[in-house]
Short mmCIF file of all heavy atoms in Angstrom, two decimals:
data_model
loop_
_atom_site.label_atom_id
_atom_site.label_comp_id
_atom_site.label_asym_id
_atom_site.label_seq_id
_atom_site.Cartn_x
_atom_site.Cartn_y
_atom_site.Cartn_z
N MET M 1 0.85 -1.16 0.00
CA MET M 1 0.00 0.00 0.00
C MET M 1 0.91 1.24 0.00
O MET M 1 1.80 1.35 0.83
CB MET M 1 -0.91 -0.03 1.21
CG MET M 1 -1.85 1.12 1.30
SD MET M 1 -2.90 0.94 2.74
CE MET M 1 -4.46 1.11 1.94
N PRO M 2 0.66 2.17 -0.89
CA PRO M 2 1.51 3.37 -0.95
C PRO M 2 1.27 4.30 0.23
O PRO M 2 0.19 4.32 0.82
CB PRO M 2 1.10 4.04 -2.26
CG PRO M 2 -0.28 3.55 -2.51
CD PRO M 2 -0.36 2.17 -1.93
N LEU M 3 2.31 5.03 0.54
CA LEU M 3 2.22 6.00 1.64
C LEU M 3 1.43 7.21 1.17
O LEU M 3 1.74 7.80 0.14
CB LEU M 3 3.62 6.43 2.06
CG LEU M 3 3.69 7.50 3.13
CD1 LEU M 3 3.13 6.98 4.44
CD2 LEU M 3 5.11 7.97 3.32
N ILE M 4 0.40 7.55 1.90
CA ILE M 4 -0.42 8.72 1.58
C ILE M 4 -0.07 9.80 2.58
O ILE M 4 -0.24 9.64 3.78
CB ILE M 4 -1.92 8.40 1.64
CG1 ILE M 4 -2.26 7.30 0.62
CG2 ILE M 4 -2.75 9.64 1.40
CD1 ILE M 4 -3.67 6.80 0.70
N LYS M 5 0.43 10.88 2.06
CA LYS M 5 0.85 11.98 2.91
C LYS M 5 -0.35 12.86 3.22
O LYS M 5 -1.08 13.27 2.32
CB LYS M 5 1.92 12.79 2.18
CG LYS M 5 2.82 13.54 3.06
CD LYS M 5 3.92 14.15 2.23
CE LYS M 5 5.08 14.50 3.09
NZ LYS M 5 6.13 15.16 2.34
N LYS M 6 -0.58 13.11 4.49
CA LYS M 6 -1.68 13.98 4.89
C LYS M 6 -1.31 15.43 4.64
O LYS M 6 -0.20 15.86 4.94
CB LYS M 6 -2.00 13.82 6.37
CG LYS M 6 -2.88 12.68 6.70
CD LYS M 6 -3.26 12.77 8.16
CE LYS M 6 -4.38 11.83 8.48
NZ LYS M 6 -4.76 11.91 9.87
N ASP M 7 -2.23 16.16 4.06
CA ASP M 7 -2.03 17.59 3.87
C ASP M 7 -2.67 18.30 5.04
O ASP M 7 -3.88 18.48 5.08
CB ASP M 7 -2.65 18.04 2.55
CG ASP M 7 -2.49 19.53 2.33
OD1 ASP M 7 -1.48 20.09 2.80
OD2 ASP M 7 -3.36 20.13 1.67
N LEU M 8 -1.86 18.65 6.01
CA LEU M 8 -2.38 19.31 7.21
C LEU M 8 -2.48 20.81 6.96
O LEU M 8 -1.47 21.51 6.90
CB LEU M 8 -1.48 19.02 8.41
CG LEU M 8 -1.94 19.59 9.74
CD1 LEU M 8 -3.28 18.98 10.13
CD2 LEU M 8 -0.93 19.30 10.82
N SER M 9 -3.69 21.26 6.75
CA SER M 9 -3.89 22.69 6.58
C SER M 9 -3.97 23.33 7.96
O SER M 9 -4.39 22.71 8.93
CB SER M 9 -5.18 22.94 5.80
OG SER M 9 -6.27 22.37 6.48
N PHE M 10 -3.52 24.55 8.03
CA PHE M 10 -3.50 25.30 9.29
C PHE M 10 -2.72 24.57 10.39
O PHE M 10 -3.22 24.38 11.49
CB PHE M 10 -4.90 25.63 9.78
CG PHE M 10 -5.75 26.36 8.79
CD1 PHE M 10 -6.87 25.77 8.23
CD2 PHE M 10 -5.41 27.64 8.39
CE1 PHE M 10 -7.65 26.45 7.31
CE2 PHE M 10 -6.18 28.32 7.46
CZ PHE M 10 -7.30 27.73 6.92
N PRO M 11 -1.48 24.16 10.11
CA PRO M 11 -0.71 23.46 11.16
C PRO M 11 -0.42 24.35 12.36
O PRO M 11 -0.28 23.85 13.47
CB PRO M 11 0.58 23.04 10.44
CG PRO M 11 0.71 24.01 9.32
CD PRO M 11 -0.70 24.36 8.91
N GLN M 12 -0.36 25.67 12.15
CA GLN M 12 -0.09 26.56 13.26
C GLN M 12 -1.24 26.55 14.26
O GLN M 12 -1.03 26.69 15.46
CB GLN M 12 0.14 28.00 12.77
CG GLN M 12 1.34 28.18 11.89
CD GLN M 12 1.01 27.94 10.42
OE1 GLN M 12 -0.11 27.64 10.05
NE2 GLN M 12 2.01 28.07 9.57
N LEU M 13 -2.48 26.39 13.77
CA LEU M 13 -3.63 26.35 14.66
C LEU M 13 -3.57 25.13 15.56
O LEU M 13 -3.78 25.22 16.77
CB LEU M 13 -4.93 26.37 13.87
CG LEU M 13 -6.22 26.31 14.68
CD1 LEU M 13 -6.34 27.53 15.59
CD2 LEU M 13 -7.43 26.19 13.78
N VAL M 14 -3.25 23.98 14.98
CA VAL M 14 -3.15 22.75 15.77
C VAL M 14 -2.01 22.87 16.78
O VAL M 14 -2.15 22.49 17.94
CB VAL M 14 -2.95 21.53 14.84
CG1 VAL M 14 -2.73 20.27 15.65
CG2 VAL M 14 -4.14 21.36 13.92
N ARG M 15 -0.90 23.44 16.35
CA ARG M 15 0.25 23.63 17.24
C ARG M 15 -0.13 24.56 18.39
O ARG M 15 0.25 24.34 19.54
CB ARG M 15 1.42 24.20 16.44
CG ARG M 15 2.73 24.04 17.12
CD ARG M 15 3.90 24.47 16.24
NE ARG M 15 3.89 23.82 14.94
CZ ARG M 15 3.96 24.47 13.77
NH1 ARG M 15 4.06 25.77 13.74
NH2 ARG M 15 3.95 23.81 12.64
N LEU M 16 -0.89 25.60 18.09
CA LEU M 16 -1.32 26.55 19.12
C LEU M 16 -2.24 25.86 20.13
O LEU M 16 -2.08 26.02 21.34
CB LEU M 16 -2.05 27.73 18.46
CG LEU M 16 -2.64 28.77 19.40
CD1 LEU M 16 -1.53 29.54 20.11
CD2 LEU M 16 -3.53 29.72 18.63
N ILE M 17 -3.19 25.09 19.64
CA ILE M 17 -4.13 24.40 20.53
C ILE M 17 -3.38 23.42 21.44
O ILE M 17 -3.61 23.37 22.64
CB ILE M 17 -5.21 23.67 19.71
CG1 ILE M 17 -6.11 24.71 19.01
CG2 ILE M 17 -6.05 22.76 20.60
CD1 ILE M 17 -7.07 24.11 18.00
N ARG M 18 -2.47 22.66 20.86
CA ARG M 18 -1.69 21.71 21.67
C ARG M 18 -0.75 22.43 22.62
O ARG M 18 -0.45 21.92 23.70
CB ARG M 18 -0.92 20.78 20.76
CG ARG M 18 -1.83 19.80 20.05
CD ARG M 18 -1.07 18.79 19.26
NE ARG M 18 -2.00 17.87 18.63
CZ ARG M 18 -1.77 17.27 17.49
NH1 ARG M 18 -0.65 17.48 16.84
NH2 ARG M 18 -2.67 16.46 16.98
N GLY M 19 -0.30 23.61 22.24
CA GLY M 19 0.57 24.40 23.12
C GLY M 19 -0.13 24.85 24.39
O GLY M 19 0.51 25.08 25.41
N TYR M 20 -1.43 24.97 24.32
CA TYR M 20 -2.21 25.33 25.51
C TYR M 20 -2.71 24.08 26.25
O TYR M 20 -3.64 24.15 27.04
CB TYR M 20 -3.41 26.22 25.12
CG TYR M 20 -3.03 27.68 25.01
CD1 TYR M 20 -2.52 28.20 23.82
CD2 TYR M 20 -3.15 28.52 26.09
CE1 TYR M 20 -2.17 29.53 23.71
CE2 TYR M 20 -2.80 29.86 26.00
CZ TYR M 20 -2.30 30.35 24.81
OH TYR M 20 -1.94 31.68 24.72
N ALA M 21 -2.07 22.96 25.99
CA ALA M 21 -2.36 21.67 26.65
C ALA M 21 -3.81 21.25 26.48
O ALA M 21 -4.45 20.75 27.41
CB ALA M 21 -1.98 21.72 28.13
N ILE M 22 -4.33 21.46 25.29
CA ILE M 22 -5.70 21.04 24.98
C ILE M 22 -5.61 19.78 24.13
O ILE M 22 -5.13 19.82 23.00
CB ILE M 22 -6.48 22.15 24.25
CG1 ILE M 22 -6.59 23.38 25.15
CG2 ILE M 22 -7.86 21.66 23.84
CD1 ILE M 22 -7.23 24.57 24.49
N ASN M 23 -6.07 18.66 24.69
CA ASN M 23 -6.08 17.40 23.96
C ASN M 23 -7.51 17.11 23.49
O ASN M 23 -8.39 17.96 23.61
CB ASN M 23 -5.52 16.28 24.82
CG ASN M 23 -6.28 16.11 26.11
OD1 ASN M 23 -7.32 16.72 26.31
ND2 ASN M 23 -5.76 15.30 27.01
N GLY M 24 -7.74 15.91 22.98
CA GLY M 24 -9.05 15.56 22.43
C GLY M 24 -10.19 15.66 23.42
O GLY M 24 -11.25 16.21 23.12
N SER M 25 -9.99 15.15 24.63
CA SER M 25 -11.08 15.18 25.61
C SER M 25 -11.34 16.59 26.12
O SER M 25 -12.49 16.98 26.32
CB SER M 25 -10.77 14.24 26.78
OG SER M 25 -9.58 14.62 27.42
N ARG M 26 -10.28 17.37 26.32
CA ARG M 26 -10.45 18.77 26.77
C ARG M 26 -11.12 19.59 25.67
O ARG M 26 -11.98 20.42 25.94
CB ARG M 26 -9.09 19.35 27.14
CG ARG M 26 -9.10 20.81 27.47
CD ARG M 26 -9.43 21.08 28.93
NE ARG M 26 -9.21 22.49 29.21
CZ ARG M 26 -10.20 23.36 29.34
NH1 ARG M 26 -11.44 22.96 29.25
NH2 ARG M 26 -9.94 24.62 29.59
N LEU M 27 -10.72 19.34 24.40
CA LEU M 27 -11.34 20.05 23.28
C LEU M 27 -12.81 19.71 23.17
O LEU M 27 -13.64 20.58 22.87
CB LEU M 27 -10.60 19.72 21.98
CG LEU M 27 -11.07 20.46 20.74
CD1 LEU M 27 -10.85 21.96 20.87
CD2 LEU M 27 -10.35 19.93 19.51
N ALA M 28 -13.16 18.45 23.43
CA ALA M 28 -14.56 18.04 23.40
C ALA M 28 -15.38 18.79 24.45
O ALA M 28 -16.51 19.20 24.19
CB ALA M 28 -14.68 16.53 23.62
N GLU M 29 -14.81 19.01 25.63
CA GLU M 29 -15.49 19.78 26.68
C GLU M 29 -15.69 21.23 26.23
O GLU M 29 -16.77 21.80 26.44
CB GLU M 29 -14.67 19.79 27.96
CG GLU M 29 -14.61 18.50 28.70
CD GLU M 29 -13.68 18.58 29.91
OE1 GLU M 29 -13.33 19.71 30.32
OE2 GLU M 29 -13.31 17.52 30.42
N ILE M 30 -14.66 21.80 25.64
CA ILE M 30 -14.72 23.20 25.22
C ILE M 30 -15.75 23.41 24.12
O ILE M 30 -16.54 24.35 24.15
CB ILE M 30 -13.33 23.68 24.75
CG1 ILE M 30 -12.36 23.74 25.93
CG2 ILE M 30 -13.41 25.04 24.07
CD1 ILE M 30 -10.91 23.94 25.53
N LEU M 31 -15.76 22.49 23.14
CA LEU M 31 -16.65 22.65 21.98
C LEU M 31 -18.05 22.09 22.22
O LEU M 31 -18.96 22.38 21.46
CB LEU M 31 -16.04 21.97 20.75
CG LEU M 31 -14.68 22.48 20.30
CD1 LEU M 31 -14.23 21.71 19.07
CD2 LEU M 31 -14.71 23.96 20.03
N GLY M 32 -18.20 21.26 23.24
CA GLY M 32 -19.50 20.66 23.51
C GLY M 32 -19.85 19.59 22.50
O GLY M 32 -20.99 19.48 22.07
N CYS M 33 -18.85 18.79 22.12
CA CYS M 33 -19.07 17.71 21.16
C CYS M 33 -18.47 16.43 21.74
O CYS M 33 -17.95 16.42 22.85
CB CYS M 33 -18.45 18.05 19.81
SG CYS M 33 -16.66 18.23 19.83
N SER M 34 -18.54 15.35 20.97
CA SER M 34 -17.97 14.09 21.43
C SER M 34 -16.46 14.09 21.22
O SER M 34 -15.92 14.88 20.44
CB SER M 34 -18.60 12.92 20.67
OG SER M 34 -18.24 12.99 19.30
N VAL M 35 -15.79 13.20 21.91
CA VAL M 35 -14.33 13.11 21.82
C VAL M 35 -13.89 12.72 20.40
O VAL M 35 -12.96 13.34 19.87
CB VAL M 35 -13.77 12.13 22.88
CG1 VAL M 35 -12.27 11.93 22.70
CG2 VAL M 35 -14.06 12.66 24.28
N PRO M 36 -14.53 11.73 19.75
CA PRO M 36 -14.11 11.42 18.38
C PRO M 36 -14.25 12.60 17.41
O PRO M 36 -13.41 12.80 16.54
CB PRO M 36 -15.02 10.26 17.97
CG PRO M 36 -15.41 9.62 19.24
CD PRO M 36 -15.51 10.76 20.23
N THR M 37 -15.30 13.39 17.58
CA THR M 37 -15.47 14.57 16.73
C THR M 37 -14.38 15.58 16.99
O THR M 37 -13.83 16.17 16.05
CB THR M 37 -16.85 15.21 16.99
OG1 THR M 37 -17.87 14.24 16.73
CG2 THR M 37 -17.07 16.42 16.11
N ALA M 38 -14.03 15.79 18.24
CA ALA M 38 -12.96 16.73 18.58
C ALA M 38 -11.63 16.27 18.01
O ALA M 38 -10.85 17.08 17.49
CB ALA M 38 -12.87 16.88 20.09
N ILE M 39 -11.36 14.98 18.06
CA ILE M 39 -10.12 14.44 17.51
C ILE M 39 -10.08 14.62 16.01
O ILE M 39 -9.05 14.98 15.43
CB ILE M 39 -9.94 12.96 17.93
CG1 ILE M 39 -9.69 12.88 19.43
CG2 ILE M 39 -8.81 12.31 17.16
CD1 ILE M 39 -9.71 11.48 19.99
N LYS M 40 -11.21 14.41 15.34
CA LYS M 40 -11.27 14.61 13.88
C LYS M 40 -11.02 16.06 13.53
O LYS M 40 -10.38 16.35 12.52
CB LYS M 40 -12.62 14.15 13.34
CG LYS M 40 -12.77 12.66 13.27
CD LYS M 40 -14.12 12.28 12.71
CE LYS M 40 -14.30 10.77 12.76
NZ LYS M 40 -15.61 10.36 12.26
N LYS M 41 -11.52 16.97 14.34
CA LYS M 41 -11.29 18.39 14.09
C LYS M 41 -9.82 18.75 14.27
O LYS M 41 -9.30 19.60 13.56
CB LYS M 41 -12.18 19.26 14.97
CG LYS M 41 -13.63 19.23 14.54
CD LYS M 41 -14.48 20.18 15.32
CE LYS M 41 -15.92 20.08 14.83
NZ LYS M 41 -16.74 21.17 15.29
N MET M 42 -9.15 18.09 15.21
CA MET M 42 -7.72 18.33 15.39
C MET M 42 -6.93 17.77 14.20
O MET M 42 -5.92 18.34 13.80
CB MET M 42 -7.22 17.69 16.68
CG MET M 42 -7.66 18.41 17.92
SD MET M 42 -6.80 19.94 18.18
CE MET M 42 -5.28 19.34 18.85
N GLU M 43 -7.38 16.65 13.66
CA GLU M 43 -6.70 16.05 12.52
C GLU M 43 -6.93 16.84 11.24
O GLU M 43 -6.06 16.89 10.38
CB GLU M 43 -7.15 14.61 12.33
CG GLU M 43 -6.67 13.67 13.43
CD GLU M 43 -7.26 12.28 13.32
OE1 GLU M 43 -8.13 12.04 12.45
OE2 GLU M 43 -6.85 11.41 14.12
N GLU M 44 -8.12 17.42 11.10
CA GLU M 44 -8.47 18.21 9.93
C GLU M 44 -9.01 19.56 10.41
O GLU M 44 -10.22 19.73 10.58
CB GLU M 44 -9.52 17.50 9.09
CG GLU M 44 -9.04 16.22 8.46
CD GLU M 44 -10.12 15.58 7.63
OE1 GLU M 44 -10.83 16.31 6.91
OE2 GLU M 44 -10.26 14.35 7.71
N PRO M 45 -8.14 20.54 10.61
CA PRO M 45 -8.56 21.83 11.16
C PRO M 45 -9.56 22.60 10.29
O PRO M 45 -10.19 23.52 10.78
CB PRO M 45 -7.26 22.62 11.28
CG PRO M 45 -6.19 21.60 11.30
CD PRO M 45 -6.69 20.46 10.49
N LYS M 46 -9.75 22.20 9.04
CA LYS M 46 -10.75 22.86 8.20
C LYS M 46 -12.17 22.62 8.73
O LYS M 46 -13.09 23.33 8.35
CB LYS M 46 -10.66 22.36 6.76
CG LYS M 46 -9.46 22.87 6.03
CD LYS M 46 -9.47 22.40 4.59
CE LYS M 46 -8.27 22.92 3.85
NZ LYS M 46 -8.26 22.46 2.46
N ARG M 47 -12.33 21.64 9.59
CA ARG M 47 -13.65 21.34 10.16
C ARG M 47 -14.06 22.30 11.26
O ARG M 47 -15.22 22.30 11.67
CB ARG M 47 -13.66 19.92 10.72
CG ARG M 47 -13.55 18.85 9.68
CD ARG M 47 -13.60 17.49 10.33
NE ARG M 47 -13.48 16.46 9.33
CZ ARG M 47 -14.18 15.34 9.35
NH1 ARG M 47 -15.02 15.11 10.33
NH2 ARG M 47 -14.03 14.45 8.41
N PHE M 48 -13.14 23.10 11.77
CA PHE M 48 -13.49 24.07 12.81
C PHE M 48 -14.42 25.12 12.23
O PHE M 48 -14.17 25.67 11.16
CB PHE M 48 -12.24 24.76 13.36
CG PHE M 48 -11.46 23.95 14.34
CD1 PHE M 48 -10.24 23.41 14.00
CD2 PHE M 48 -11.95 23.72 15.62
CE1 PHE M 48 -9.51 22.67 14.90
CE2 PHE M 48 -11.23 22.97 16.53
CZ PHE M 48 -10.01 22.44 16.17
N THR M 49 -15.48 25.41 12.96
CA THR M 49 -16.39 26.47 12.56
C THR M 49 -16.02 27.75 13.30
O THR M 49 -15.18 27.73 14.21
CB THR M 49 -17.85 26.09 12.92
OG1 THR M 49 -17.95 25.96 14.34
CG2 THR M 49 -18.27 24.79 12.25
N LEU M 50 -16.64 28.84 12.94
CA LEU M 50 -16.38 30.10 13.64
C LEU M 50 -16.82 30.00 15.10
O LEU M 50 -16.18 30.56 15.98
CB LEU M 50 -17.10 31.25 12.95
CG LEU M 50 -16.52 31.68 11.62
CD1 LEU M 50 -17.39 32.77 10.99
CD2 LEU M 50 -15.10 32.17 11.78
N GLU M 51 -17.87 29.27 15.34
CA GLU M 51 -18.34 29.07 16.71
C GLU M 51 -17.30 28.29 17.53
O GLU M 51 -17.06 28.59 18.69
CB GLU M 51 -19.67 28.33 16.71
CG GLU M 51 -20.28 28.17 18.07
CD GLU M 51 -21.64 27.48 18.02
OE1 GLU M 51 -22.27 27.47 16.96
OE2 GLU M 51 -22.04 26.96 19.07
N ASP M 52 -16.67 27.31 16.88
CA ASP M 52 -15.60 26.54 17.55
C ASP M 52 -14.42 27.44 17.89
O ASP M 52 -13.86 27.35 18.99
CB ASP M 52 -15.12 25.40 16.66
CG ASP M 52 -16.18 24.35 16.40
OD1 ASP M 52 -17.16 24.28 17.17
OD2 ASP M 52 -16.03 23.59 15.42
N ILE M 53 -14.04 28.31 16.97
CA ILE M 53 -12.93 29.23 17.19
C ILE M 53 -13.26 30.17 18.35
O ILE M 53 -12.43 30.42 19.22
CB ILE M 53 -12.62 30.04 15.92
CG1 ILE M 53 -12.23 29.12 14.76
CG2 ILE M 53 -11.56 31.10 16.17
CD1 ILE M 53 -10.95 28.37 14.95
N TYR M 54 -14.49 30.65 18.38
CA TYR M 54 -14.93 31.53 19.47
C TYR M 54 -14.90 30.78 20.80
O TYR M 54 -14.46 31.33 21.82
CB TYR M 54 -16.32 32.06 19.16
CG TYR M 54 -16.83 33.05 20.16
CD1 TYR M 54 -16.31 34.35 20.21
CD2 TYR M 54 -17.82 32.72 21.07
CE1 TYR M 54 -16.77 35.27 21.13
CE2 TYR M 54 -18.29 33.63 22.00
CZ TYR M 54 -17.76 34.90 22.03
OH TYR M 54 -18.21 35.81 22.95
N SER M 55 -15.33 29.52 20.81
CA SER M 55 -15.32 28.72 22.04
C SER M 55 -13.89 28.48 22.52
O SER M 55 -13.63 28.47 23.73
CB SER M 55 -16.01 27.38 21.81
OG SER M 55 -17.37 27.57 21.53
N LEU M 56 -12.97 28.27 21.58
CA LEU M 56 -11.57 28.11 21.95
C LEU M 56 -11.05 29.36 22.65
O LEU M 56 -10.28 29.27 23.60
CB LEU M 56 -10.71 27.83 20.72
CG LEU M 56 -10.69 26.40 20.21
CD1 LEU M 56 -9.95 26.33 18.88
CD2 LEU M 56 -10.02 25.50 21.22
N SER M 57 -11.49 30.50 22.18
CA SER M 57 -11.04 31.75 22.76
C SER M 57 -11.65 31.97 24.14
O SER M 57 -10.94 32.31 25.09
CB SER M 57 -11.40 32.91 21.85
OG SER M 57 -11.03 34.13 22.42
N ILE M 58 -12.93 31.78 24.26
CA ILE M 58 -13.64 32.06 25.52
C ILE M 58 -13.38 30.96 26.56
O ILE M 58 -12.89 31.23 27.65
CB ILE M 58 -15.15 32.23 25.28
CG1 ILE M 58 -15.41 33.40 24.33
CG2 ILE M 58 -15.91 32.41 26.59
CD1 ILE M 58 -14.94 34.74 24.84
N SER M 59 -13.72 29.72 26.23
CA SER M 59 -13.62 28.63 27.20
C SER M 59 -12.24 28.00 27.26
O SER M 59 -11.85 27.47 28.30
CB SER M 59 -14.64 27.53 26.84
OG SER M 59 -15.94 28.06 26.83
N GLY M 60 -11.51 28.05 26.16
CA GLY M 60 -10.19 27.42 26.12
C GLY M 60 -9.08 28.30 26.63
O GLY M 60 -7.99 27.83 26.92
N GLY M 61 -9.35 29.60 26.72
CA GLY M 61 -8.34 30.50 27.25
C GLY M 61 -7.27 30.92 26.25
O GLY M 61 -6.24 31.45 26.64
N ILE M 62 -7.52 30.68 24.97
CA ILE M 62 -6.56 31.08 23.95
C ILE M 62 -6.95 32.48 23.46
O ILE M 62 -8.07 32.68 23.02
CB ILE M 62 -6.56 30.10 22.76
CG1 ILE M 62 -6.24 28.68 23.24
CG2 ILE M 62 -5.55 30.54 21.71
CD1 ILE M 62 -6.35 27.63 22.17
N PRO M 63 -6.05 33.44 23.55
CA PRO M 63 -6.39 34.79 23.08
C PRO M 63 -6.75 34.80 21.59
O PRO M 63 -6.12 34.11 20.78
CB PRO M 63 -5.11 35.58 23.33
CG PRO M 63 -4.36 34.81 24.36
CD PRO M 63 -4.72 33.38 24.13
N LEU M 64 -7.76 35.57 21.26
CA LEU M 64 -8.26 35.62 19.89
C LEU M 64 -7.19 36.13 18.93
O LEU M 64 -7.13 35.68 17.79
CB LEU M 64 -9.51 36.50 19.83
CG LEU M 64 -10.38 36.38 18.59
CD1 LEU M 64 -10.79 34.93 18.37
CD2 LEU M 64 -11.60 37.25 18.70
N ASN M 65 -6.33 37.02 19.39
CA ASN M 65 -5.25 37.53 18.52
C ASN M 65 -4.30 36.41 18.12
O ASN M 65 -3.82 36.39 16.99
CB ASN M 65 -4.48 38.65 19.22
CG ASN M 65 -5.31 39.90 19.37
OD1 ASN M 65 -6.24 40.12 18.60
ND2 ASN M 65 -4.99 40.70 20.36
N GLU M 66 -4.01 35.50 19.03
CA GLU M 66 -3.12 34.38 18.71
C GLU M 66 -3.78 33.43 17.72
O GLU M 66 -3.11 32.88 16.84
CB GLU M 66 -2.72 33.63 19.98
CG GLU M 66 -1.77 34.41 20.86
CD GLU M 66 -1.28 33.59 22.03
OE1 GLU M 66 -1.27 32.34 21.94
OE2 GLU M 66 -0.91 34.20 23.04
N ILE M 67 -5.08 33.24 17.86
CA ILE M 67 -5.80 32.38 16.91
C ILE M 67 -5.78 33.00 15.52
O ILE M 67 -5.55 32.32 14.52
CB ILE M 67 -7.25 32.13 17.38
CG1 ILE M 67 -7.26 31.33 18.68
CG2 ILE M 67 -8.05 31.40 16.31
CD1 ILE M 67 -8.62 31.16 19.32
N LYS M 68 -5.98 34.31 15.45
CA LYS M 68 -5.93 35.02 14.16
C LYS M 68 -4.57 34.86 13.51
O LYS M 68 -4.47 34.65 12.30
CB LYS M 68 -6.26 36.48 14.34
CG LYS M 68 -7.71 36.77 14.64
CD LYS M 68 -7.92 38.28 14.82
CE LYS M 68 -9.31 38.59 15.22
NZ LYS M 68 -9.50 40.04 15.45
N GLN M 69 -3.51 34.98 14.30
CA GLN M 69 -2.15 34.84 13.76
C GLN M 69 -1.92 33.43 13.23
O GLN M 69 -1.26 33.24 12.22
CB GLN M 69 -1.11 35.17 14.83
CG GLN M 69 -1.01 36.61 15.19
CD GLN M 69 -0.46 37.44 14.04
OE1 GLN M 69 0.39 36.99 13.29
NE2 GLN M 69 -0.98 38.64 13.89
N ALA M 70 -2.49 32.43 13.92
CA ALA M 70 -2.30 31.04 13.50
C ALA M 70 -3.06 30.73 12.21
O ALA M 70 -2.68 29.84 11.46
CB ALA M 70 -2.76 30.10 14.60
N LEU M 71 -4.11 31.47 11.93
CA LEU M 71 -4.91 31.22 10.73
C LEU M 71 -4.39 31.95 9.50
O LEU M 71 -4.90 31.73 8.41
CB LEU M 71 -6.38 31.61 10.98
CG LEU M 71 -7.11 30.74 12.00
CD1 LEU M 71 -8.49 31.30 12.26
CD2 LEU M 71 -7.20 29.30 11.51
N ARG M 72 -3.39 32.77 9.64
CA ARG M 72 -2.85 33.49 8.48
C ARG M 72 -1.98 32.63 7.64
O ARG M 72 -1.40 31.71 7.93
CB ARG M 72 -2.08 34.71 8.92
CG ARG M 72 -2.99 35.75 9.47
CD ARG M 72 -2.23 36.99 9.77
NE ARG M 72 -3.17 37.93 10.35
CZ ARG M 72 -2.92 39.18 10.52
NH1 ARG M 72 -1.77 39.67 10.17
NH2 ARG M 72 -3.80 39.98 11.05
#
């Protein structure tokens, strides 16, 4: 089976989230979703909605300016 390379879009966002010690279960608490859904969102950051980004800022304690910088 050939190696399929994942195209991780927005790697800075994932790095930022992990830098604030937010893992799959903590992210699920912040977003109000299940743990598998939170893990999928970490694997594919394009799945994050604006509401998720806002929740990361408010409940996750990540400053909105840092999130904006990670999305550039």
Side-chain angles (χ1 to χ4, degrees):
M1 181 178 233
L3 176 66
I4 299 174
K5 205 173 200 183
K6 276 188 168 180
D7 179 30
L8 183 62
S9 58
F10 305 114
Q12 296 88 0
L13 179 62
V14 175
R15 198 174 306 128
L16 177 68
I17 292 170
R18 288 186 179 150
Y20 276 87
I22 298 175
N23 57 9
S25 60
R26 174 86 171 105
L27 184 63
E29 289 175 16
I30 292 169
L31 300 180
C33 63
S34 66
V35 174
T37 302
I39 292 172
K40 285 181 185 178
K41 288 185 180 194
M42 287 286 281
E43 291 174 354
E44 294 181 42
K46 287 183 180 179
R47 293 181 180 220
F48 281 108
T49 63
L50 288 176
E51 185 177 340
D52 295 340
I53 299 295
Y54 184 73
S55 295
L56 279 172
S57 177
I58 299 299
S59 301
I62 302 174
L64 197 55
N65 291 336
E66 289 186 25
I67 294 173
K68 288 179 185 178
Q69 288 292 325
L71 293 174
R72 290 186 182 193

